Amino acid sequence: SSSSAAQRFDLQSVSTRLGKKTIELQGIAKTYGDRVLVEDFDQVIVRDARIGIVGPNGCGKSTLLKIIAGQIKPDSGEVVVGDTVQIGYFAQDCGEMDPSQRVIDYIKSFGETVQTVDGSVTASQMLERFLFPSDLQWNTISRLSGGERRRLYLLSVLMTAPNILLLDEPTNDLDIDTLMVLEEYIEGFSGAVLLVSHDRYFLDKTTDHTLEFQGDGRIRKYLGGYSAYLNQRTPEPPARRSDDTEKMKVEKRKPSPKHPK
């Protein structure tokens, strides 16, 4: 049951100690063909940041995470990364998994143990927390469902003891119990978290700042989680009103449809 999932997760989240200087984005810009995804974007990611990233599909949210993770170079601007920063990047696809490998061996390949505030936790204990009981740990990956593989991939990212977590659509294909474990994990996590999601409930539970991709490369910053962001997302004064803000007003009045995946 979901309550037992929550109870099982009692120790604080795993992370490597993070120094004062984390990550700073300075004048970041990125264009693909004639599409401007990010333009002149500055952001200091503070040590305990909880930032939700929202906007329509294909507007550049994943690209921004990849720039922060160092997987994509910006066209201009700089990503300054502190010495103690250890990034854990959870992508939308799970990458390559060897279907013949056992679940426990896959996780051990990322770390045999991880340090928490309460001492070290073994790979097997971490698997238990993420709802892989001991009998399932000896299964081969080929026997796991799609959702179980995604959960295993999530855990592999956490086993590297990151202190900055970049999560790209982490709620896709995860069941309610796993989402509860992940919410608790983020709550106890002592580093910074940036996450891209269309899941409003999850964003409200896990974030306190919001970055909204507005199209044309502009990213607007809001204080608060998803509900607070919706409340603040008001049109500009009439003198400066643009077509965009008119559109936003109309959108705001319409009941919001559920986002497609």
Side-chain angles (χ1 to χ4, degrees):
S1 79
S2 47
S3 64
S4 67
Q7 280 160 14
R8 218 170 296 155
F9 197 73
D10 48 356
L11 290 181
Q12 280 231 358
S13 303
V14 174
S15 71
T16 308
R17 197 180 153 344
L18 190 57
K20 271 212 174 68
K21 190 173 165 211
T22 56
I23 295 179
E24 197 170 330
L25 307 181
Q26 302 170 347
I28 297 296
K30 187 71 189 174
T31 304
Y32 279 116
D34 54 1
R35 286 175 58 232
V36 181
L37 295 181
V38 182
E39 189 164 56
D40 196 23
F41 179 63
D42 298 312
Q43 177 79 34
V44 175
I45 298 168
V46 297
R47 205 162 28 184
D48 56 354
R50 295 289 183 273
I51 300 172
I53 303 173
V54 301
N57 286 335
C59 64
K61 302 185 300 290
S62 298
T63 300
L64 181 65
L65 284 193
K66 285 176 179 163
I67 288 171
I68 297 169
Q71 297 193 357
I72 293 179
K73 286 218 177 313
D75 298 337
S76 58
E78 197 184 353
V79 181
V80 182
V81 180
D83 295 336
T84 57
V85 167
Q86 178 103 15
I87 291 174
Y89 173 63
F90 177 80
Q92 283 196 46
D93 60 75
C94 296
E96 287 301 304
M97 286 185 178
D98 174 359
S100 66
Q101 194 173 21
R102 292 188 193 278
V103 167
I104 183 78
D105 296 328
Y106 172 78
I107 286 300
K108 278 183 172 173
S109 71
F110 294 91
E112 293 269 340
T113 61
V114 277
Q115 289 303 315
T116 75
V117 288
D118 302 314
S120 95
V121 179
T122 66
S124 181
Q125 287 168 321
M126 282 296 280
L127 277 162
E128 281 271 348
R129 287 188 188 185
F130 275 79
L131 315 181
F132 288 99
S134 47
D135 54 336
L136 203 55
Q137 295 179 20
W138 295 97
N139 267 355
T140 56
I141 289 171
S142 62
R143 294 176 63 186
L144 299 182
S145 69
E148 285 169 337
R149 285 185 200 204
R150 194 138 168 86
R151 191 192 322 153
L152 189 65
Y153 168 57
L154 173 65
L155 184 52
S156 75
V157 173
L158 304 179
M159 283 304 288
T160 62
N163 47 35
I164 293 193
L165 268 180
L166 307 176
L167 304 172
D168 195 352
E169 298 283 6
T171 63
N172 286 3
D173 303 321
L174 291 183
D175 56 56
I176 299 289
D177 282 356
T178 309
L179 282 179
M180 285 181 65
V181 173
L182 182 56
E183 274 169 24
E184 286 205 12
Y185 183 89
I186 290 172
E187 207 174 303
F189 185 68
S190 57
V193 180
L194 283 83
L195 65 95
V196 169
S197 183
H198 288 305
D199 185 327
R200 298 165 175 209
Y201 179 76
F202 187 75
L203 284 164
D204 269 336
K205 295 274 283 196
T206 53
T207 63
D208 55 23
H209 281 73
T210 303
L211 298 178
E212 179 198 35
F213 273 72
Q214 299 191 287
D216 314 331
R218 291 168 305 150
I219 301 173
R220 196 163 170 191
K221 303 177 185 186
Y222 296 86
L223 184 58
Y226 196 87
S227 296
Y229 143 72
L230 279 186
N231 292 335
Q232 294 170 67
R233 195 170 169 250
T234 50
E236 292 176 8
R240 289 166 52 211
R241 186 177 292 161
S242 65
D243 293 348
D244 271 3
T245 35
E246 270 309 318
K247 244 184 290 176
M248 257 159 59
K249 234 168 77 180
V250 174
E251 275 172 23
K252 210 171 154 206
R253 277 200 296 269
K254 279 193 292 196
S256 45
K258 202 163 163 39
H259 281 288
K261 282 209 174 146

